[in-house]
Amino acid sequence: MKIFSGTSNLLLAEKIAKNLGLKVSPLDIFVFPDGEKRVRVIDRVVDEHCIVVQPTNLPADNSYMELFFIVDALKRSGAEFVTAIVPYLGYQRQDHIFRDGEAVSLEVIAKTLDSTGLDRLICLDLHSVKIPQVFKISVEHLSALPLFAKRIAILCQQVNNCILISPDMGGIARIKKLSEMIGNFTYAAIEKDRDLTTGNVASKSFGEGRITNQKIAFVVDDMISSGKTISKAAELLKNNGVEKIYVFVTHAIFSDDASQILESAPVEKVFVTDSVYIPKKKHFSKLEILSVADIIAKDLYLRV
Ligand code: R5P
């Protein structure tokens, strides 16, 4: 088995490789003055199982093009089986038509990936459990929830009133699962409205479950992009008397001024994973990064 990495999260690729007792194999990724990329495999890969680590976050289009070219180069160089580890799958929120006239972008991505000859895709905490159905190849859906469950259990030791919160109704299945992992924790979901033109968020009320006399709330979501969903949810919880709020989110996309929004939100700490690389300039004092390298490496080890 050989592990390769695109340029979007080399650190994670190195951690996964280390877990498996391997080193990341080199790739020549050359950028022409006009921005086009040329990808070349250096090592011999004939009849090898090749792993490519490349989350497709910001800039999503760039990360995807690189992934397409790496898989194509490996297949043309004789790789027997190619697994792409795409912990954060870009465009996953565009998996259906929200308004007339829109493209189903995820379907276009799936068709293109299928056409590169990719054999298997491994993702982490997908936005919807239906996403694997869009692909023809096998898609494994791993989760950072076990990592979150451990931390939440520690933070809740000797505190009676703790609650799990989904900041929108779409995340209810996620917190139900987490609640079972920790041991039937109380949970509730917020009714959120997002203006599809401006992206602005309004967290209105608690749609499912009740929140009364809660000391600690754990807000759990799949991703943070603008940070608006989390900050509005935190404000609603504070207004309902919650004393401390902790945030647990898998993918730290952190677009625009998300870091500042989160730093000034009424939350104690924001736990995220290293599913995407978070540049130093986007770090803030409340941020803690948990690694998913172990979860991914274990899965690879079991399946090879
Ligand atoms: C939406 O359904 C997702 O689960 C996240 O809540 C959302 O993508 C977060 O986006 P933002 O940080 O821009 O509010």
Side-chain angles (χ1 to χ4, degrees):
M1 181 163 61
K2 283 186 185 292
I3 297 202
F4 298 86
S5 178
T7 56
S8 70
N9 198 345
L10 179 59
L11 213 60
L12 178 65
E14 284 171 345
K15 282 187 189 163
I16 296 170
K18 197 172 169 205
N19 257 290
L20 293 166
L22 299 170
K23 283 220 151 77
V24 176
S25 299
L27 278 176
D28 177 15
I29 301 177
F30 178 78
V31 186
F32 288 97
D34 62 359
E36 289 186 0
K37 281 183 181 170
R38 184 192 62 204
V39 171
R40 195 168 68 88
V41 175
I42 298 165
D43 287 359
R44 183 182 154 84
V45 294
V46 176
D47 296 337
E48 290 272 5
H49 177 191
C50 296
I51 314 280
V52 185
V53 181
Q54 176 80 336
T56 47
N57 54 297
L58 215 73
D61 300 355
N62 221 356
S63 309
Y64 265 120
M65 290 311 277
E66 224 177 68
L67 175 64
F68 300 150
F69 298 154
I70 296 171
V71 177
D72 185 70
L74 288 168
K75 278 289 181 173
R76 285 177 195 278
S77 305
E80 196 204 352
F81 196 89
V82 179
T83 299
I85 298 177
V86 186
Y88 175 72
L89 186 75
Y91 285 105
Q92 58 179 298
R93 286 177 291 179
Q94 294 182 45
D95 61 342
H96 64 273
I97 292 173
F98 292 87
R99 293 178 298 178
D100 286 351
E102 286 180 351
V104 184
S105 313
L106 184 67
E107 211 171 288
V108 178
I109 296 287
K111 280 184 196 154
T112 315
L113 260 183
D114 285 341
S115 75
T116 59
L118 181 69
D119 297 287
R120 191 170 51 165
L121 179 64
I122 299 182
C123 301
L124 191 79
D125 286 330
L126 289 165
H127 182 60
S128 143
V129 287
K130 290 187 182 155
I131 286 173
Q133 295 168 15
V134 179
F135 292 81
K136 287 206 179 85
I137 51 168
S138 98
V139 180
E140 266 167 59
H141 186 181
L142 305 182
S143 178
L145 290 185
L147 212 59
F148 295 169
K150 272 190 207 154
R151 281 304 183 106
I152 291 173
I154 293 169
L155 286 165
C156 249
Q157 266 169 1
Q158 291 160 354
V159 183
N160 287 329
N161 303 340
C162 294
I163 189 166
L164 298 177
I165 296 285
S166 170
D168 55 37
M169 302 304 283
I172 193 85
R174 188 176 303 118
I175 51 161
K176 269 187 186 168
K177 212 165 152 188
L178 187 57
S179 156
E180 282 160 20
M181 278 181 196
I182 310 172
N184 290 326
F185 235 67
T186 315
Y187 60 83
I190 291 173
E191 260 185 66
K192 170 179 107 176
D193 258 353
R194 188 192 291 273
D195 183 318
L196 290 179
T197 314
T198 62
N200 285 337
V201 168
S203 292
K204 295 194 300 195
S205 56
F206 296 93
E208 200 168 312
R210 285 160 8 107
I211 79 132
T212 45
N213 304 322
Q214 298 297 338
K215 278 206 167 63
I216 305 184
F218 299 98
V219 183
V220 182
D221 208 353
D222 57 338
M223 68 180 90
I224 294 176
S225 179
S226 67
K228 290 176 186 168
T229 299
I230 293 298
S231 71
K232 290 290 170 193
E235 281 166 22
L236 184 69
L237 288 163
K238 275 281 168 188
N239 292 340
N240 278 270
V242 173
E243 285 175 23
K244 282 184 177 175
I245 300 162
Y246 292 92
V247 176
F248 283 84
V249 172
T250 306
H251 310 294
I253 306 304
F254 292 175
S255 24
D256 304 326
D257 49 359
S259 306
Q260 289 92 300
I261 291 178
L262 294 166
E263 179 74 346
S264 50
V267 302
E268 304 297 312
K269 226 164 178 174
V270 178
F271 292 90
V272 298
T273 78
D274 56 356
S275 67
V276 301
Y277 174 71
I278 310 167
K280 282 272 179 303
K281 63 173 188 213
K282 293 197 174 180
H283 287 198
F284 51 97
S285 69
K286 292 176 180 173
L287 183 71
E288 185 167 336
I289 305 170
L290 309 172
S291 184
V292 288
D294 214 21
I295 293 175
I296 296 171
K298 261 190 201 134
D299 183 79
L300 283 172
Y301 182 75
L302 291 175
R303 280 166 206 278
V304 172

